[in-house]
Amino acid sequence: MKHQMNISKTDDYDSPRDFVGHGTHTSSIAAGNRVPFADYFGYTKGTASGIAPKARLVMYKMLFANGSYDAAAIDTLAGMDQAIEDGVDLMSLSLGFIDTPFYENPIALGAFAAMEKGIFVACSAGNGGPHAYTILNGAPWITAVGAGTVDREFAAGVTLGEGTVHVSGKSVYHENLLVSRVPIYFGHGNISKEICYAYSLDPKDVEGKYIFCDFRNETSVFQQRFEMYRTGAASAIYSSESGQFLMPWDFDMPFVTMIPKFGDLVKDYLLRTDDPTVSIKFQGTQLGTKPAPQVADFSSRGPDIRSHWILKPDILAPGVDVLAGWAPNRGSHVVGIAALLKATHRDWSSAAIRSFSLLSPFVSTFSSPPSFVGHKIRPSFSLLSPFVSTFSSPPSCRS
């Protein structure tokens, strides 16, 4: 696409250079080099690496800040055609267009041409969840990737009183802060105050204090955060089932979210203590957390409205709190694993790579059945091994 003006000094670079960082992030997941001593403000310290760090990487910039929707569609198809011409083995696209028939969708058209050349194509399912029929890249010949959590959590250690109760929760607060013996408020006896419902708390009651927000179906941690900001409370502890889906940038105050099981322990302490206090240590990382994986609430669900008889998305990959070259995303793990497979089996077709990815063995525990997601990705190379999955309730739709 030829631009009418130079936009390098406003919202984009008038060149292949990445301005937003999305392409840098996804590319580093797929094929980034190993980086020792990596961390996110003290969390998840270790060595960061792409799935296939020795793969040769080509990045195509197809979206510009001053381009129209039609221009973006044309540039995307042109970029995919150029990648085919350049002889790539795999493609990864973490973008999507509004639902149209496959013969009008630029990604579906480009992916079909790639498939004919034996090129494996993986695309993100989209960010339209949690409702059904929200998938964007649901063409049967595309490997559509949903976003899921992993068994790692950024944690904060919570101590109540003089060590009466110790629990942990999620926090990605960016400072190495120690909260010590701060008073904590719980609006016991008033349901609206107990759950920190909007405009329920009196700022005078919570001044200089942490607030504890209990779990109910009537509210969510996203709504409860509003009440924390409105009242000017020191911060908060949230008992919630949705806390794991908060983004790192949401933690602009030293609050903690925890599952209701731990939240009930906090509530029990508050009900039997006259002058409750809380101490919190941030910048912890926990491994082996359960349940995992869980489908992220924002991850688009299938089936695809154009081919609803096919289970979509095809596969689930890490898409929450991924440490990589830029802000969190998902999907590139799959193409990174495909690169490893292609390097090992040069004669495999895109269909063979996709089939192996879907049928690779893994052991997984779900707290609830995955909604219209085929499998969870795992870079395993033991062919014909069993698939093992356990559910606390019967899965209604899986392959």
Side-chain angles (χ1 to χ4, degrees):
M1 176 182 175
K2 184 175 177 60
H3 299 288
Q4 300 301 314
M5 66 177 186
N6 189 314
I7 59 174
S8 296
K9 295 182 180 180
T10 54
D11 299 321
D12 204 345
Y13 302 117
D14 198 12
S15 73
R17 185 179 174 187
D18 185 9
F19 184 89
V20 176
H22 178 262
T24 301
H25 175 87
T26 54
S27 298
S28 69
I29 293 174
N33 285 327
R34 297 180 183 274
V35 178
F37 311 112
D39 68 273
Y40 181 82
F41 294 105
Y43 295 92
T44 189
K45 294 179 180 180
T47 298
S49 173
I51 297 294
K54 293 185 178 181
R56 287 178 290 181
L57 177 69
V58 185
M59 297 172 64
Y60 298 84
K61 183 172 179 177
M62 301 179 294
L63 305 177
F64 291 83
N66 68 340
S68 66
Y69 182 89
D70 290 341
I74 294 170
D75 285 353
T76 297
L77 185 55
M80 297 180 76
D81 282 345
Q82 185 62 54
I84 295 172
E85 178 72 17
D86 292 342
V88 302
D89 295 303
L90 319 144
M91 289 189 197
S92 174
L93 293 91
S94 289
L95 65 144
F97 292 87
I98 59 174
D99 178 65
T100 57
F102 295 148
Y103 57 82
E104 295 179 357
N105 187 297
I107 294 179
L109 289 171
F112 192 88
M115 177 194 66
E116 292 184 310
K117 296 292 185 179
I119 299 171
F120 175 85
V121 180
C123 297
S124 60
N127 296 334
H131 304 296
Y133 294 98
T134 52
I135 187 172
L136 294 179
N137 296 305
W141 50 89
I142 294 175
T143 300
V145 186
T149 62
V150 296
D151 60 349
R152 179 200 65 198
E153 190 170 89
F154 303 148
V158 177
T159 301
L160 301 171
E162 298 181 358
T164 306
V165 178
H166 295 278
V167 291
S168 64
K170 175 177 178 176
S171 182
V172 200
Y173 188 62
H174 59 276
E175 293 185 19
N176 185 15
L177 178 68
L178 175 62
V179 174
S180 181
R181 303 294 301 274
V182 175
I184 182 169
Y185 171 88
F186 179 49
H188 178 58
N190 183 312
I191 295 297
S192 294
K193 291 183 178 182
E194 288 182 1
I195 63 175
C196 302
Y197 197 75
Y199 299 99
S200 63
L201 300 179
D202 186 340
K204 295 179 181 179
D205 292 337
V206 302
E207 182 179 0
K209 301 177 181 179
Y210 264 67
I211 55 176
F212 174 73
C213 302
D214 200 8
F215 173 72
R216 294 282 199 288
N217 290 327
E218 295 92 325
T219 189
S220 73
V221 66
F222 301 95
Q223 298 168 322
Q224 292 168 328
R225 285 172 64 228
F226 166 80
E227 191 66 355
M228 174 188 68
Y229 294 125
R230 186 191 69 82
T231 59
S235 199
I237 295 177
Y238 303 108
S239 178
S240 174
E241 290 184 340
S242 56
Q244 70 268 39
F245 299 126
L246 285 171
M247 297 301 178
W249 52 82
D250 290 326
F251 290 87
D252 54 354
M253 288 186 65
F255 66 83
V256 180
T257 70
M258 58 183 60
I259 60 175
K261 174 185 176 181
F262 293 155
D264 289 344
L265 296 177
V266 175
K267 181 170 65 174
D268 179 67
Y269 162 79
L270 295 173
L271 293 178
R272 56 184 172 82
T273 306
D274 292 332
D275 298 306
T277 60
V278 61
S279 301
I280 304 175
K281 181 67 174 70
F282 295 90
Q283 294 189 338
T285 301
Q286 293 182 340
L287 303 178
T289 57
K290 301 295 181 184
Q294 290 181 286
V295 181
D297 59 343
F298 61 81
S299 184
S300 293
R301 268 59 164 181
D304 184 83
I305 194 171
R306 306 289 172 181
S307 54
H308 54 82
W309 56 90
I310 298 176
L311 186 62
K312 289 285 183 174
D314 298 277
I315 205 163
L316 189 70
V320 177
D321 294 341
V322 176
L323 182 66
W326 207 265
N329 208 287
R330 71 237 149 254
S332 303
H333 297 83
V334 175
V335 81
I337 292 172
L340 297 177
L341 286 169
K342 191 70 173 180
T344 305
H345 305 281
R346 296 296 302 174
D347 59 331
W348 279 19
S349 67
S350 60
I353 293 173
R354 178 180 177 185
S355 177
F356 178 87
S357 299
L358 300 185
L359 298 177
S360 293
F362 73 89
V363 177
S364 178
T365 302
F366 293 89
S367 61
S368 59
S371 54
F372 297 105
V373 175
H375 300 81
K376 169 204 161 190
I377 191 67
R378 180 185 181 187
S380 172
F381 291 90
S382 54
L383 289 171
L384 302 180
S385 297
F387 171 97
V388 180
S389 181
T390 60
F391 296 84
S392 58
S393 56
S396 58
C397 186
R398 67 177 175 88
S399 62

